Amino acid sequence: MANRNEHFVADLAASEVAEIDAVRISEKPTNLYLDAWRDLRKRPMFYIAGVLILAVTVMALFPGLFTQTLPNDNCLLANSNAGPTDGHPLGFTRQGCDIYSRIVHGSSTSLSVGLIVTAMTMAMGVFFGALAGFYGRWVDALLSRAGDIFFAIPYILAAVVIMSVFSDYRNVWVISAAIGIFAWPSTARVLRGEILRVKQADYVMASTAIGVSRFKILMRHVLPNSIAPVIAVTTISLAAAIVAEATLSFLGVGLPTSTMSWGNDISQAQVDLRTAPQVLIWPSLALSITALAFIMMGEAIRDALDPKARAQR
Amino acid sequence: MVGYIFKRVLQALPVFFGTTLLIYFMVFAMPGDPIVAMFGDRGVNQAVYEQLRAQYHLDQPFLVQYFYYITGIFQGDFGTSFSGQPVGDVLAATFPVTIRLALMAVTIEMLVGIGIGLFAGLRKGKLFDNSSLVMSLLLISTPVFVIAFVFQFVFAIKLGWAKPTVSGAAGFTELLLPAVVLSTLAVAYIVRLTRSSVIETSGQDFVRTAYGKGLTRQRVVRVHILRNSLIPVVTYLSIDFGVLLVGATVTEGIFNVPGVGRTLYQAIIRGEGPTVVSFVTVMVLIYLAVNLITDLLYAVLDPRIRYGK
C-alpha cells in the first residue's frame, strides 16, 4: 500500500525508453551487394545454378577431365546411331562418333559465344544506356531512337541476315557479333531507366553542389548505384545468347559444321529423329541445362539485388 | 486521341526508315556481285552487264538505291524471290496460314498462361505455384526447335495423336501441334507475368474494398484482380510478337507448315541471301505494325493514355 503513493504515473523502465529511442544499427557493415550476397547464400536455387555453371565452365576449359575419348577420333560408321556401349555412355552419332565426348568438347563453343555476346551487350548497353540516361536531352533522344531501331528487328532474324552476308567468315567471333549487335538495346533500356531514377537522388545533387564534375558523378555515384538490375538482366541474356547460337546453327547459318557445337549436333541429328532420337536428345539436354543454370542464376541475383522482391518473399 | 495517334505514328516513322535502312545496308555490304551471279558460268557480257546494272539501279550511290527500294515497298514491291517469284505473291499465298498459326498460338498462350498464372498467383508459395514456376523455367531454357522435335517425336511419331508434318491445306486440327509448340515459349513468360501481377494486384486497396463490400471471392478475382492484372500481359504479347515470328520460322520449318516462316526457313537453309533479306524485312515491318496497332489500341482502352501524356 505504501508503495502505491510513491508512483503517480506508470513506471517507465529506463531500459525500455532506451530501446525505443535506439536507432537499430546492424553490427555488420552492409551495402546493397553485401545484402544480396547474404541473401543469395540462403537460396538453394543459387547453389544449384552455381554448381551447374561451375561444371560447364570446367568442362569447357578442361574437357580432358570428363572424357578420354577424342570427339572425332575412332568414328566408325559401323557404330552409326548405335546405342550406349561400354566406355560410350550415351551412344553414337550418325557418323559413329561418341555423343558424350562431342557434348563435352562442344561446351566451350556455347560458353564462349555466350560470354562474348554478354561482354558485347554489356559494354554497348552500359555505354549507350549511361550516356542516354545521364546526359538526357538530345543525347537521350538520339540514342533512344537508335536503340528503338535495333530493338525493332528481332535479333535472331538480324543475326540470320548478318550471317548470310558473312557466309564466308563464320566463326565464334562473327556469330557473337551478329547476335550482340542487335541484343544491346534491352540492356541499355534497363540501365537508362535506372539512371533516370538514381539521378534524382540527394547525393547526386550534393556532389553537384560541391563542384564534382558531371563525368565523375556519373562514374563514381550514378553508375555504381544503377548497375544492379543490369547484372541480373545480363546473366539471363547469357542464356539467351547460348540458345541463339544453337538456333542459328540449327538454321544452318551458324558455325560451320566442322566446328563442334551443340547447335550443330542437334541440327545434324534431326534427320534421324524417328530412328535414333537419343542422338538429338542428349545435346539438347546439355544445351537446356546450361541455359537453365544461367537463367536460374540471373533470377536469383535479380531477386537478391531487389530489396522490394526480398521483402515480398 | 487524334493527337496521340498522330504522335505515335510520327514516332514509328524514324524506326521504320531506320530498320529498312539498316537491313538494306547489310544487303549492300553483301560480298559478291549479284549481276555477275546472274550470268552463271557463261561469262559476263559487258553490254548486258551494264544494262542490268542500270535496270536494278546498282550503278547509283547507296542512298539513291535505298530510295528506289523504299518507294518499291510503298508500292507493294518487296523484291523477287530466288526462284523468280515476286515476294509479294509468295506472301499473299503463305501469309494467311501463318496468321492462322499465330492466332492459334496466341489463343493457347492466353488461355493456358493466364489460367495457370492466375491460379499460381492466388495460391502463392503453394505446391501448384512452385511447380508451375519450375516448369516455366524449364520451358524458357529450352530452345523452340528442341521443343518442336520432342513434341513431334512424342505426340506425332510415338503416340500418333497428330501428323508429324502438315499438309498443303493446313487445316485447324493439323495446325494444333505446331501451334502448341509455338506457344510454349511465351506461355512460360505469361505464367510468370500473370502470377506476379496477380500477387501485386491482390495487395491493392481496391481489392480489400471489394471484399469489404461483401462481394464473392469469385467476383473479386474475375472483375477486380484478373482484369487489372492483364495490362502487362497484353503489353508483353505485343512486344513478344518478334519472338513469335522467329519461333514461327523454326516451327513452320520443322512441321512443314506452308506459311511465311517456312518460306524464310527454306531460303535460309538454301543460302538464298536476297530472299532471306526480303522476308526478314517483311517480318520486321509486320512486327512494327503490330506494335503500332497495340499502342493505338491502348489509347482506345485506357483513358489515361488518351488524355494525358
Side-chain angles (χ1 to χ4, degrees), chain B residues 131-161:
Chain B
S131 47
S132 75
L133 277 184
V134 172
M135 279 301 291
S136 69
L137 270 181
L138 283 176
L139 277 183
I140 289 172
S141 53
T142 313
V144 65
F145 59 93
V146 171
I147 297 177
F149 281 133
V150 170
F151 276 37
Q152 194 182 35
F153 182 71
V154 174
F155 294 112
I157 297 173
K158 281 284 155 193
L159 297 173
W161 290 354

Side-chain angles (χ1 to χ4, degrees), chain A residues 109-175:
Chain A
T109 311
S110 289
L111 212 60
S112 38
V113 169
L115 287 175
I116 299 169
V117 171
T118 306
M120 269 185 71
T121 49
M122 184 102 176
M124 291 172 77
V126 167
F127 183 72
F128 291 126
L131 286 185
F134 190 67
Y135 289 102
R137 295 166 194 268
W138 64 269
V139 182
D140 184 21
L142 192 74
L143 289 176
S144 293
R145 289 295 87 75
D148 282 353
I149 292 168
F150 282 86
F151 195 74
I153 308 179
Y155 67 98
I156 291 191
L157 287 185
V160 163
V161 173
I162 297 178
M163 294 307 282
S164 301
V165 172
F166 289 99
S167 53
D168 296 337
Y169 310 93
R170 286 179 184 164
N171 58 44
V172 170
W173 292 95
V174 172
I175 197 173

Side-chain angles (χ1 to χ4, degrees), chain B residues 194-208 224-230:
Chain B
T194 313
R195 173 187 175 271
S196 56
S197 190
V198 162
I199 291 174
E200 206 183 311
T201 316
S202 304
Q204 300 276 331
D205 288 343
F206 65 82
V207 172
R208 201 171 41 194
H224 296 261
I225 295 179
L226 187 57
R227 272 178 76 173
N228 282 292
S229 306
L230 286 187

Side-chain angles (χ1 to χ4, degrees), chain B residues 10-82:
Chain B
L10 216 60
Q11 270 176 4
L13 280 179
V15 178
F16 167 76
F17 285 112
T19 45
T20 46
L21 189 70
L22 204 61
I23 296 173
Y24 197 75
F25 177 73
M26 287 194 267
V27 187
F28 191 80
M30 211 178 261
D33 189 331
I35 307 284
V36 173
M38 281 169 112
F39 283 103
D41 295 334
R42 265 208 247 147
V44 177
N45 180 329
Q46 198 58 38
V48 180
Y49 177 81
E50 293 299 335
Q51 207 217 325
L52 280 173
R53 259 177 81 84
Q55 187 190 332
Y56 289 106
H57 311 295
L58 291 178
D59 48 352
Q60 309 280 341
F62 170 68
L63 279 177
V64 178
Q65 289 190 35
Y66 171 71
F67 174 75
Y68 279 113
Y69 167 73
I70 217 79
T71 40
I73 284 185
F74 277 115
Q75 289 160 2
D77 172 17
F78 293 100
T80 313
S81 78
F82 207 70

Side-chain angles (χ1 to χ4, degrees), chain B residues 1-12 292 295-296 299-300 304-309:
Chain B
M1 178 84 176
V2 175
Y4 170 77
I5 292 175
F6 183 71
K7 225 170 81 185
R8 185 61 189 78
V9 172
L10 216 60
Q11 270 176 4
L292 182 63
D295 275 9
L296 296 182
V300 178
R304 280 173 302 185
I305 294 173
R306 202 158 48 213
Y307 300 115
K309 42 195 93 169

Side-chain angles (χ1 to χ4, degrees), chain A residues 77-296:
Chain A
L77 277 176
N79 289 333
S80 181
N81 290 338
T85 55
D86 199 26
H88 305 282
L90 303 181
F92 299 89
T93 66
R94 185 186 180 79
Q95 300 296 329
C97 302
D98 182 48
I99 293 178
Y100 174 66
S101 169
R102 285 190 70 88
I103 289 177
V104 170
H105 284 270
S107 60
S108 62
T109 311
S110 289
L111 212 60
S112 38
V113 169
L115 287 175
I116 299 169
V117 171
T118 306
M120 269 185 71
T121 49
M122 184 102 176
M124 291 172 77
V126 167
F127 183 72
F128 291 126
L131 286 185
F134 190 67
Y135 289 102
R137 295 166 194 268
W138 64 269
V139 182
D140 184 21
L142 192 74
L143 289 176
S144 293
R145 289 295 87 75
D148 282 353
I149 292 168
F150 282 86
F151 195 74
I153 308 179
Y155 67 98
I156 291 191
L157 287 185
V160 163
V161 173
I162 297 178
M163 294 307 282
S164 301
V165 172
F166 289 99
S167 53
D168 296 337
Y169 310 93
R170 286 179 184 164
N171 58 44
V172 170
W173 292 95
V174 172
I175 197 173
S176 305
I179 300 167
I181 285 176
F182 283 84
W184 63 267
S186 41
T187 313
R189 280 185 178 192
V190 170
L191 184 66
R192 175 181 171 273
E194 194 65 14
I195 283 186
L196 285 181
R197 197 178 61 77
V198 170
K199 219 165 67 166
Q200 312 291 332
D202 289 340
Y203 55 79
V204 174
M205 197 194 274
S207 310
T208 315
I210 60 171
V212 181
S213 77
R214 296 282 286 159
F215 182 70
K216 213 166 177 180
I217 294 177
L218 173 64
M219 297 308 279
R220 278 273 180 80
H221 300 290
V222 176
L223 213 49
N225 282 300
S226 47
I227 204 81
V230 175
I231 296 173
V233 168
T234 305
T235 318
I236 296 177
S237 77
L238 206 156
I242 290 176
V243 170
E245 181 270 319
T247 308
L248 290 174
S249 293
F250 162 74
L251 287 172
V253 288
L255 296 162
T257 42
S258 55
T259 310
M260 225 177 316
S261 94
W262 294 340
N264 272 337
D265 281 7
I266 297 169
S267 174
Q268 279 160 30
Q270 59 178 308
V271 284
D272 293 318
L273 179 67
R274 282 155 204 251
T275 48
Q278 82 277 2
V279 183
L280 188 140
I281 298 298
W282 290 118
S284 309
L285 206 62
L287 182 70
S288 295
I289 291 175
T290 310
L292 181 69
F294 282 105
I295 289 176
M296 274 164 51

